[in-house]
Amino acid sequence: MDDDDVANRKVSLRKCLEHLSGAGKAIGVLTSGGDAQGMNAAVRAVVRMGIYVGAKVYFIYEGYQGMVDGGRNIVEANWESVSSILQVGGTIIGSARCKAFRSREGRLKAAQNLVQRGITNLCVIGGDGSLTGANIFRKEWSGLLEELAQNGEIDKEQVQKHAHLNVVGMVGSIDNDFCGTDMTIGTDSALHRIIEVVDAIMTTAQSHQRTFVLEVMGRHCGYLALVSALACGADWVFLPESPPEEGWQEDMCVKLSENRARKKRLNIIIVAEGAIDTQNKPITSEQIKELVVKQLGYDTRVTILGHVQRGGTPSAFDRILASRMGVEAVVALLQATPETPACVVSLSGNQAVRLPLVECVQMTQDVQKAMDERRFKDAVQLRGRSFETNLNTYKRLAIKLPDDQIVKSNCNVAVINVGAPAAGMNAAVRSAVRVGIADGHKMLAIYDGFEGFAKGQIKEIGWGDVGGWTGQGGSILGTKRTLPGKSLEDIAVQMRTHSINALLIIGGFEAYLGLLELSAARDRYEELCVPMVMVPATVSNNVPGSDFSIGADTALNTITDTCDRIKQSASGTKRRVFIIETMGGYCGYLANMGGLAAGADAAYIFEEPFDIRDLQSNVEHLTEKMKTTIQRGLVLRNESCSVNYTTDFIYQLYSEEGKGVFDCRKNVLGHMQQGGAPSPFDRNFGTKISARAMQWISTKLKEAPGKGKRFMSEDSICVLGISKRNLLFQPVTQLRKDTDFEHRIPKEQWWLKLRPLMKILAKYKASYEVSDFNQLEPVHPRGHEEPAAI
């Protein structure tokens, strides 16, 4: 892209925001219903984006109750009102269930309180009940104002001036029970709490050979139970949407005893609090415990997680999600006309979309209706693509058919890890091995990357060998950065010796380069003419062909946690600026997204060149900030963003320029970003994408029965990734043109469009692209592509 293109793009982006002036408009923001981690991030984004575009923003305390009571419950917010809340769980503006708002009298009072302050734009963060309430209020608005005018509470001029109420919803609910959105605010954080507990319980259960029954939240929705079962490899899971078949008691006990016979020292059973059987009768954790003790005599304990799941600090995913949704909600309110129906801002794949609120609520209620009428298949389908995929993947990975029932394919499929370790690699290997065995293949593990491949470090790996792998960080198979180029002949010999019919590569940019080398060598070595697919796994998130990589979410959480601690230390000492260096090679994903999740003042990345003038303006910005009540600063720097503007240079420059105003500290995070237990997102993503890769391999092998088939076509050597909203297999040779090989990054990176968002929330002038989002989308578009629900 040349300088003219850049200039034109900046002008067009600026135009996008210019016609979105909020001058003279007032926005009210409230949180309602049950609280969820990340609500504060959403409130912060709404307040700051609102102020940024020139609108007045009001906090409405205690949800609808505060709107009805008025007075000091509706207060104008300023920039500093939402400082230091990004990392706080719950909601700082309070939430309450409100009976008064359900009556017309209550809504009449609420309308009067809003009109008095000129508020005609509402941003509601809550569950389906809260959003339904907001929609009823919106429909009645003009009637309520007429009534207020007749009663003499407001004058005719006010009725005309405030004739329409615009409503935009964001779904804050840890249950992920709202149809139309892939993830609701709070779900990922609740999964973090559950997985922390499961990981802790596993160590004690292993010591005593115990069975644990874990009850998680989800009165009407089994999402938390299902995903946590997938993420920890639970033996059995109970969900409201998919009750176990008749005679499940016997099946479950057989499954538990089979697992014990395979030398597994513990069993984990996960139960959603709303679990039911096919007759809609509740299945309780105590019931399950009694059954296991009576039938099997195992030492069994019940742990009910309860409100722990709602608490704690929000995960990086939830902070970024909520910040994106909050900004999007303000844009939606400013673009709304009197004819615009109430909408929900939501996530589809990795894209923010707007959906009609009424349809989403209707669909959510349809799920409950289907469950009440015992139409459980319909209930699962109505929950959406993400839920269905999770359920099918869990079933395939949890229950092994007896060997004599598996149709053998007579094919050998090898799995290899390449590049630097990334959390979630082991979950991907486990998933591949089990899906491969279920498809009738013999699975081979290659140890120590291409180096081990050339030396013949290859062993068969069985179903039980990968038990308990999901929660382990690093790479159990071992991984090296070595490329196959120099040892192609040895690799071809090993392929022949072990009769390898297909290869699954799990790794980062080295894996991508390795795949290109193997592809180029196909005409010299016929052994390489087999289906090969790569699943991206690297903390840097720099693999062409995919918007996400396994391991990046775990690294992002490490960065965010560290930044939280550092900010806390800085607010104690006051007037201190921290400069933090993140990993990522030349890819600025971790620095940029870490900056967004941690509320940084700036993030220096290679993709957006900067010079001494930019550094100077950042110092001036921080100097101004020190005059406010927020006397601390946080600056992130990607390790390779500039040859000369090193972390030391920036630290020294800030120290010199900030003399007498603030002092500086620096921190290099280093390899702690590659370590640690994988986050729930990485476990789940690794499991699902790897299972999908194995299905592709099985399909390819079925197309070519017999040993002699040579795969020469481009589409038999692919990278599997998420692109926008779809899961795509892209031939590795076609991705060459999209790759900047010198800097080891894709030429186009989706997350760069979120860069202005970080700047706006840090009070910089920036141009935010709003053009993508004008239209309301239908709920559940079913296209030809394969949806990429995470």
Side-chain angles (χ1 to χ4, degrees):
M1 193 184 278
D2 61 24
D3 291 349
D4 289 348
D5 285 344
V6 173
N8 292 339
R9 190 154 171 261
K10 281 189 173 167
V11 170
S12 73
L13 295 189
R14 211 162 289 122
K15 280 179 186 161
C16 293
L17 267 182
E18 273 167 9
H19 68 263
L20 278 184
S21 166
K25 292 189 176 178
I27 300 170
V29 59
L30 71 141
T31 51
S32 171
D35 66 315
Q37 308 95 320
M39 278 183 164
N40 286 329
V43 169
R44 170 181 179 265
V46 170
V47 169
R48 292 196 166 175
M49 185 65 177
I51 292 170
Y52 181 84
V53 294
K56 281 186 170 181
V57 186
Y58 288 86
F59 283 151
I60 300 173
Y61 287 98
E62 312 308 337
Y64 289 117
Q65 192 62 55
M67 204 193 285
V68 173
D69 296 346
R72 278 198 277 183
N73 288 305
I74 306 176
V75 177
E76 190 176 344
N78 61 31
W79 195 272
E80 290 164 45
S81 320
V82 289
S83 171
S84 302
I85 67 169
L86 195 55
Q87 66 275 20
V88 179
T91 161
I92 58 154
I93 53 176
S95 179
R97 315 251 177 214
C98 175
K99 274 189 184 164
F101 194 75
R102 289 181 185 167
S103 66
R104 191 172 164 87
E105 292 74 54
R107 293 194 288 275
L108 206 60
K109 278 186 192 165
Q112 185 184 349
N113 288 327
L114 294 187
V115 169
Q116 277 171 356
R117 293 163 179 82
I119 298 171
T120 53
N121 297 285
L122 265 193
C123 181
V124 181
I125 309 165
D128 59 338
S130 313
L131 300 182
T132 307
N135 195 46
I136 293 167
F137 190 42
R138 179 183 155 276
K139 282 182 178 163
E140 290 180 353
W141 181 258
S142 50
L144 293 169
L145 295 201
E146 293 292 341
E147 197 175 321
L148 286 169
Q150 282 164 11
N151 299 346
E153 307 278 1
I154 58 173
D155 56 38
K156 281 272 185 273
E157 194 183 315
Q158 281 175 303
V159 175
Q160 282 174 336
K161 192 177 173 189
H162 306 301
H164 301 285
L165 178 71
N166 297 318
V167 170
V168 171
M170 279 184 266
V171 191
S173 156
I174 66 164
D175 294 341
N176 202 22
D177 55 357
F178 194 79
C179 290
T181 176
D182 283 349
M183 282 290 249
T184 56
I185 295 167
T187 306
D188 188 64
S189 304
L191 284 170
H192 273 259
R193 296 301 92 79
I194 295 168
I195 293 301
E196 281 159 18
V197 171
V198 173
D199 285 353
I201 277 177
M202 276 178 152
T203 54
T204 168
Q206 205 133 18
S207 308
H208 299 276
Q209 297 200 34
R210 281 193 176 132
T211 295
F212 268 89
V213 181
L214 261 99
E215 186 180 298
V216 300
M217 280 185 166
R219 206 169 311 134
H220 306 295
C221 176
Y223 184 88
L224 288 178
L226 176 54
V227 175
S228 45
L230 200 55
C232 73
D235 297 79
W236 202 270
V237 65
F238 291 91
L239 315 169
E241 295 87 344
S242 179
E245 290 163 13
E246 294 295 326
W248 62 267
Q249 294 89 337
E250 183 66 24
D251 294 344
M252 185 182 81
C253 291
V254 168
K255 169 86 195 315
L256 296 182
S257 53
E258 274 177 5
N259 280 352
R260 283 289 170 99
R262 287 195 197 109
K263 303 219 166 31
K264 193 177 177 188
R265 290 177 60 88
L266 76 159
N267 303 109
I268 300 275
I269 299 165
I270 293 185
V271 191
E273 62 178 326
I276 47 176
D277 63 15
T278 47
Q279 302 308 307
N280 279 13
K281 292 198 179 84
I283 297 176
T284 66
S285 7
E286 279 303 326
Q287 235 176 303
I288 297 163
K289 175 190 167 175
E290 281 163 26
L291 175 75
V292 175
V293 172
K294 194 173 152 196
Q295 298 277 349
L296 299 169
Y298 292 165
D299 182 0
T300 307
R301 305 294 162 101
V302 173
T303 301
I304 296 171
L305 295 192
H307 282 76
V308 164
Q309 297 159 82
R310 278 195 194 284
T313 183
S315 65
F317 183 96
D318 272 331
R319 299 182 197 194
I320 294 166
L321 173 68
S323 301
R324 287 177 73 180
M325 300 296 115
V327 167
E328 190 47 40
V330 172
V331 173
L333 284 171
L334 297 182
Q335 288 179 338
T337 64
E339 289 73 46
T340 312
C343 77
V344 177
V345 290
S346 145
L347 185 74
S348 175
N350 71 5
Q351 292 208 298
V353 292
R354 295 181 196 167
L355 302 167
L357 187 148
V358 182
E359 282 179 41
C360 290
V361 169
Q362 183 56 52
M363 203 158 175
T364 306
Q365 288 166 353
D366 287 348
V367 180
Q368 191 55 47
K369 194 172 169 222
M371 278 153 57
D372 294 343
E373 293 169 4
R374 310 220 296 265
R375 293 182 289 111
F376 296 111
K377 270 191 175 160
D378 294 351
V380 169
Q381 279 185 327
L382 285 165
R383 274 275 174 246
R385 57 202 190 171
S386 177
F387 194 89
E388 218 173 331
T389 320
N390 283 330
L391 186 57
N392 294 335
T393 310
Y394 174 76
K395 284 177 180 170
R396 293 204 71 184
L397 297 177
I399 297 159
K400 181 182 188 290
L401 286 172
D403 287 340
D404 53 2
Q405 286 180 34
I406 297 174
V407 182
K408 296 284 180 279
S409 68
N410 297 323
C411 290
N412 297 343
V413 179
V415 184
I416 182 171
N417 287 350
V418 177
M425 272 182 165
N426 298 322
V429 173
R430 167 187 176 268
S431 168
V433 168
R434 291 197 169 177
V435 171
I437 291 170
D439 284 347
H441 310 314
K442 179 175 169 185
M443 296 302 296
L444 302 172
I446 300 170
Y447 293 85
D448 295 339
F450 287 121
E451 209 172 286
F453 200 167
K455 289 177 187 163
Q457 292 171 291
I458 302 168
K459 278 192 205 140
E460 185 177 353
I461 187 164
W463 185 279
D465 297 334
V466 290
W469 278 30
T470 43
Q472 299 202 37
S475 161
I476 296 172
L477 292 185
T479 179
K480 294 257 169 84
R481 290 174 181 267
T482 322
L483 294 178
K486 288 179 185 159
S487 42
L488 283 168
E489 197 162 321
D490 296 336
I491 287 172
V493 169
Q494 295 301 337
M495 295 275 289
R496 189 165 60 246
T497 311
H498 293 87
S499 312
I500 293 171
N501 304 100
L503 182 63
L504 170 62
I505 303 176
I506 299 166
F509 204 83
E510 283 85 6
Y512 169 71
L513 294 174
L515 199 60
L516 278 169
E517 289 184 4
L518 294 174
S519 166
R522 272 178 158 187
D523 48 4
R524 283 181 288 147
Y525 303 100
E526 66 173 356
E527 294 85 353
L528 301 179
C529 300
V530 299
M532 295 184 188
V533 62
M534 173 194 162
V535 167
T538 163
V539 298
S540 307
N541 196 25
N542 63 339
V543 176
S546 189
D547 293 349
F548 289 106
S549 299
I550 299 165
D553 183 71
T554 306
L556 211 47
N557 277 295
T558 304
I559 292 167
T560 311
D561 291 348
T562 311
C563 289
D564 286 351
R565 292 175 185 195
I566 283 171
K567 275 170 81 171
Q568 202 170 24
S569 119
S571 37
T573 43
K574 299 270 190 303
R575 297 178 175 273
R576 180 161 284 175
V577 175
F578 274 90
I579 292 148
I580 295 174
E581 183 184 299
T582 66
M583 285 178 119
Y586 285 99
C587 178
Y589 177 82
L590 289 178
N592 189 64
M593 301 307 255
L596 189 53
D601 296 282
Y604 299 119
I605 60 171
F606 168 77
E607 291 86 348
E608 191 177 278
F610 58 96
D611 58 22
I612 196 74
R613 289 182 294 276
D614 297 308
L615 293 170
Q616 183 61 38
S617 87
N618 292 145
V619 171
E620 284 163 9
H621 186 267
L622 284 166
T623 308
E624 284 305 306
K625 190 177 174 183
M626 296 300 160
K627 294 175 185 168
T628 70
T629 54
I630 322 164
Q631 298 184 343
R632 55 171 168 64
L634 183 68
V635 175
L636 270 63
R637 177 188 176 276
N638 161 258
E639 59 183 353
S640 303
C641 65
S642 165
V643 181
N644 297 315
Y645 297 132
T646 60
T647 304
D648 285 333
F649 176 89
I650 293 174
Y651 161 70
Q652 285 162 356
L653 178 83
Y654 272 58
S655 301
E656 184 59 39
E657 295 294 318
K659 248 186 202 161
V661 183
F662 57 79
D663 63 356
C664 265
R665 294 286 183 276
K666 67 175 181 208
N667 203 321
V668 178
L669 298 188
H671 282 76
M672 63 191 274
Q673 296 162 81
Q674 277 181 1
S679 66
F681 181 96
D682 278 330
R683 296 180 194 201
N684 188 10
F685 180 44
T687 299
K688 280 161 69 170
I689 196 167
S690 187
R692 183 65 194 90
M694 279 309 298
Q695 284 171 331
W696 178 86
I697 284 176
S698 296
T699 310
K700 286 280 178 208
L701 293 173
K702 274 185 196 134
E703 285 170 12
K707 295 267 183 180
K709 165 78 166 121
R710 293 175 64 189
F711 290 85
M712 293 296 290
S713 62
E714 281 191 344
D715 68 353
S716 65
I717 183 159
C718 289
V719 174
L720 169 57
I722 284 184
S723 177
K724 293 199 169 115
R725 300 188 206 176
N726 303 311
L727 211 46
L728 293 182
F729 287 91
Q730 297 178 72
V732 69
T733 47
Q734 289 180 19
L735 289 169
R736 268 181 173 285
K737 63 181 188 313
D738 303 331
T739 310
D740 171 355
F741 285 99
E742 186 191 346
H743 300 105
R744 299 160 59 93
I745 52 175
K747 286 179 183 171
E748 293 280 320
Q749 298 186 86
W750 70 274
W751 51 266
L752 282 168
K753 71 171 187 286
L754 299 185
R755 191 139 171 82
L757 202 116
M758 190 200 87
K759 293 180 179 177
I760 287 169
L761 297 178
K763 215 173 184 174
Y764 283 94
K765 286 274 175 275
S767 312
Y768 183 58
E769 198 163 352
V770 294
S771 43
D772 301 2
F773 307 117
N774 279 352
Q775 304 310 312
L776 276 187
E777 300 207 359
V779 186
H780 270 305
R782 292 279 186 191
H784 302 302
E785 297 101 337
E786 192 170 343
I790 300 165

